[in-house]
Amino acid sequence: MSTKLVVGLDGHGSGERALAYAKKLAELIGSCEVLVVYVVEWSPFSFQTAEENAERHKRREQEISLAMERVVDPAVAQLRDSGLTVRGLVKHGDVAETLSRISDEENAEQIIVARSSEGGISNRIFGSSTSNLVMSASVPVTVVN
């Protein structure tokens, strides 16, 4: 059985750092599968008009397609070109909860994310999603600077 790593991308340069670290770690491990994940923030509790609700499913599908095309597919191709076993996935939801759930469902050994420097002073330390993930994940979380 091979080791499985989940890499959470954010669509920014910090995601590239997480991807580079995951690549290095996967190469050191050897028999390893990398699951590249992008989570589109989506709250089930947002208030919307009737027109927005009618378009919700269509927007979700468009967001998934766009995230796969712009973020996940290039990352998967980059790792695959290095000879690694890779899959890509885009989901809607809370970033920390979704990455944690995926790692549990996939029996991953570790989650790799990067520290975000966007937002206020408290978010500069880790980022709210990252700190929530570190506190709640059932597997080790590596936070890359």
Side-chain angles (χ1 to χ4, degrees):
M1 185 169 111
S2 71
T3 300
K4 195 173 290 187
L5 304 174
V6 172
V7 182
L9 297 185
D10 61 3
H12 300 288
S14 56
E16 289 296 320
R17 295 191 311 269
L19 197 62
Y21 182 78
K23 177 181 179 277
K24 179 180 178 180
L25 188 57
E27 290 171 344
L28 290 171
I29 292 170
S31 178
C32 185
E33 180 182 12
V34 180
L35 181 58
V36 176
V37 180
Y38 182 86
V39 180
V40 179
E41 286 277 2
W42 188 275
S43 171
F45 305 109
S46 62
F47 296 98
Q48 299 179 0
T49 66
E51 294 82 19
E52 289 173 325
N53 281 332
E55 294 292 318
R56 187 174 186 168
H57 179 72
K58 183 178 176 182
R59 280 197 330 266
R60 285 176 63 134
E61 294 304 315
Q62 290 171 337
E63 288 174 343
I64 287 172
S65 178
L66 195 59
M68 280 299 282
E69 178 184 318
R70 292 185 179 175
V71 180
V72 175
D73 286 345
V76 167
Q78 177 185 346
L79 293 179
R80 213 171 259 147
D81 289 346
S82 299
L84 299 175
T85 304
V86 190
R87 287 188 293 136
L89 185 63
V90 176
K91 293 287 187 181
H92 278 93
D94 175 80
V95 173
E97 289 175 11
T98 303
L99 288 174
S100 184
R101 185 184 73 248
I102 289 168
S103 70
D104 290 342
E105 292 170 354
E106 293 283 338
N107 295 315
E109 296 293 323
Q110 188 174 115
I111 301 170
I112 300 167
V113 294
R115 179 186 62 81
S116 174
S117 59
E118 298 175 13
I121 187 69
S122 63
N123 288 350
R124 286 191 187 127
I125 296 170
F126 282 126
S128 60
S129 295
T130 305
S131 59
N132 290 339
L133 180 62
V134 167
M135 292 185 290
S136 66
S138 61
V139 299
V141 177
T142 299
V143 181
V144 180
N145 276 330

